[in-house]
Amino acid sequence: MKITLKQLTIFKAIHDNGQISKAAQQLHMSVPAVSMALKELESSLGTRLFERGSNGLSINDNGEVILPYANEMLSKGTQLEQMFAERNAVGGTIKIGSSKTAGNYILSRKIPQFKKLHPLVDIKLVINNSLTIEKMVSEKELDLGFVDAKPGLNNLQYEQWLKDKICLVTSCDNPILDETITAELLSEQLWVMDSTLSVSRLRNTQLLRSARITINHELSMNTMGAIKRAIGTGIGVSVLPYLAVKEEIKRGEIVELQLADWDFSRKYWSISRNDEPLSSLLEEFISFCNA
């Protein structure tokens, strides 16, 4: 006599559904396969377990004897699977660093989703400017970094992570929306800019200069949130990554200005040390963030 967990699973499904066809549907099996498995179980036991009636199959006295044993064995099998699933679950600690845009608008959403899939993983996120994150990865304070500039330190390797466009933006209430947007018109506006001496600030200033836009009137703030709230008053314009304003644009709170020949983008990179391979956990995290 040889009884398998598969046969007991099919027996239980037939008992619960009262019909072989419904049991097959529940188990994602064919009707002949379920019927054959039941016949094999009954043959091994030397007795029938169900009686056929007008409403389908009903368990008989012999089946009633088997049922509690089947329930117990299936329960033990489930417990065993769960125990080894927990033992083999992805776990560990990873320390991630990110530039402000990527950290605030991408990783702040990605990390909770990854944590939900792998509850045993402890993730620490540090958000700072790209140069600081690069230095922390290089000096082994962080395992992995996501930055908006290629690293300059020799012990770091990098791969392109994503690409984002740079936008000229203002409030949907700004009167300049009724005019033709030109470099001259934008040069007359109040520019709300990042006050920190960051790579992004320098890059954006260069982009404006290349588009023949001069900043004559400036209001400086040190967070993108503050910049967005400031231009949201209907006064002022700014230059921001699309990732930072995507939700506000969708809600109609902020408008992307269309200027001839303005077509600039920014690449983001994942960085790590080149003297040690990435762990399987870090590789899985990068793959998750790329999805």
Side-chain angles (χ1 to χ4, degrees), residues 13-25 34 54-57:
I14 295 172
H15 168 265
D16 293 343
N17 290 279
Q19 293 181 10
I20 288 179
S21 59
K22 290 184 178 179
Q25 185 177 10
V34 171
S54 58
N55 295 323
L57 297 178

Side-chain angles (χ1 to χ4, degrees), residues 31 189 205 284:
V31 171
Q189 305 307 308
T205 302
E284 183 170 354

Side-chain angles (χ1 to χ4, degrees), residues 155-174:
N155 69 327
L156 296 180
Q157 60 186 357
Y158 58 88
E159 288 187 6
Q160 185 175 328
W161 176 36
L162 55 83
K163 187 177 180 180
D164 185 32
K165 66 177 178 177
I166 305 300
C167 303
L168 299 172
V169 293
T170 190
S171 166
C172 60
D173 298 325
N174 194 319

Side-chain angles (χ1 to χ4, degrees), residues 3-4 31-32 40 46 53 58 70 95 116 120 139 145 149-150 154 163 169 180 182-183 201 219 223 265 287 290:
I3 300 175
T4 66
V31 171
E40 290 173 351
S58 58
K95 294 173 288 186
K116 185 177 181 180
L120 298 182
E139 296 179 354
K150 289 183 180 179
N154 292 331
K163 187 177 180 180
V169 293
T180 301
T182 63
R201 163 70 194 234
L219 184 61
T223 68
S265 62
S287 296
N290 287 335

Side-chain angles (χ1 to χ4, degrees), residues 78-90:
T78 300
Q79 291 174 16
L80 190 62
E81 290 176 350
Q82 291 175 345
M83 180 179 69
F84 276 87
E86 291 173 359
R87 290 184 62 179
N88 296 326
V90 175

Side-chain angles (χ1 to χ4, degrees), residues 25-271:
Q25 185 177 10
Q26 176 186 321
L27 299 172
H28 304 289
M29 296 175 63
S30 68
V31 171
V34 171
S35 180
M36 179 61 70
L38 175 59
K39 289 179 180 178
E40 290 173 351
L41 177 60
E42 291 179 329
S43 177
S44 295
L45 295 173
T47 184
R48 296 183 63 176
L49 303 175
F50 295 95
E51 301 297 334
R52 185 174 297 278
S54 58
N55 295 323
L57 297 178
S58 58
I59 194 168
N60 60 23
D61 291 341
N62 293 323
E64 291 286 1
V65 172
I66 297 297
L67 184 59
Y69 290 97
N71 287 336
E72 182 178 0
M73 294 177 70
L74 292 174
S75 176
K76 293 293 184 183
T78 300
Q79 291 174 16
L80 190 62
E81 290 176 350
Q82 291 175 345
M83 180 179 69
F84 276 87
E86 291 173 359
R87 290 184 62 179
N88 296 326
V90 175
T93 299
I94 53 179
K95 294 173 288 186
I96 308 297
S98 176
S99 59
K100 294 179 181 179
T101 301
N104 288 322
Y105 299 101
I106 301 178
L107 293 176
S108 61
R109 294 186 175 96
K110 288 283 189 179
I111 287 176
Q113 295 169 351
F114 188 81
K115 177 73 173 178
K116 185 177 181 180
L117 292 175
H118 304 294
L120 298 182
V121 176
D122 183 21
I123 306 176
K124 303 182 186 300
L125 174 64
V126 175
I127 297 178
N128 212 311
N129 63 67
S130 291
L131 293 177
T132 299
I133 296 302
E134 179 182 336
K135 183 173 182 291
M136 293 179 72
V137 173
S138 174
E139 296 179 354
K140 300 187 177 183
E141 295 180 62
L142 297 171
D143 301 313
L144 189 66
F146 295 89
V147 295
D148 57 12
K150 289 183 180 179
L153 299 177
N154 292 331
N155 69 327
L156 296 180
Q157 60 186 357
Y158 58 88
E159 288 187 6
Q160 185 175 328
W161 176 36
L162 55 83
K163 187 177 180 180
D164 185 32
K165 66 177 178 177
I166 305 300
C167 303
L168 299 172
V169 293
T170 190
S171 166
C172 60
D173 298 325
N174 194 319
I176 68 169
L177 295 177
D178 296 327
E179 305 182 44
T180 301
I181 303 301
T182 63
E184 292 75 16
L185 176 63
L186 292 176
S187 296
E188 298 171 359
Q189 305 307 308
L190 172 66
W191 282 87
V192 187
M193 300 290 288
D194 188 351
S195 62
T196 60
L197 295 177
S198 63
V199 173
S200 297
R201 163 70 194 234
L202 295 174
R203 186 188 295 116
N204 289 342
T205 302
Q206 292 171 352
L207 294 181
L208 292 172
R209 190 178 297 121
S210 69
R212 301 185 300 279
I213 299 172
T214 303
I215 300 179
N216 295 310
H217 311 286
E218 180 178 342
L219 184 61
S220 298
M221 298 186 177
N222 66 353
T223 68
M224 271 191 255
I227 292 173
K228 290 190 291 184
R229 286 189 289 273
I231 64 173
T233 62
I235 302 172
V237 295
S238 189
V239 53
L240 293 171
Y242 178 71
L243 287 172
V245 293
K246 178 172 64 174
E247 297 302 322
E248 288 84 357
I249 290 176
K250 287 181 179 179
R251 295 195 297 265
E253 300 167 2
I254 287 178
V255 176
E256 181 180 0
L257 298 172
Q258 302 300 321
L259 176 67
D261 299 327
W262 181 275
D263 183 20
F264 299 108
S265 62
R266 176 183 304 173
K267 294 178 180 179
Y268 293 83
W269 312 84
S270 63
I271 61 173

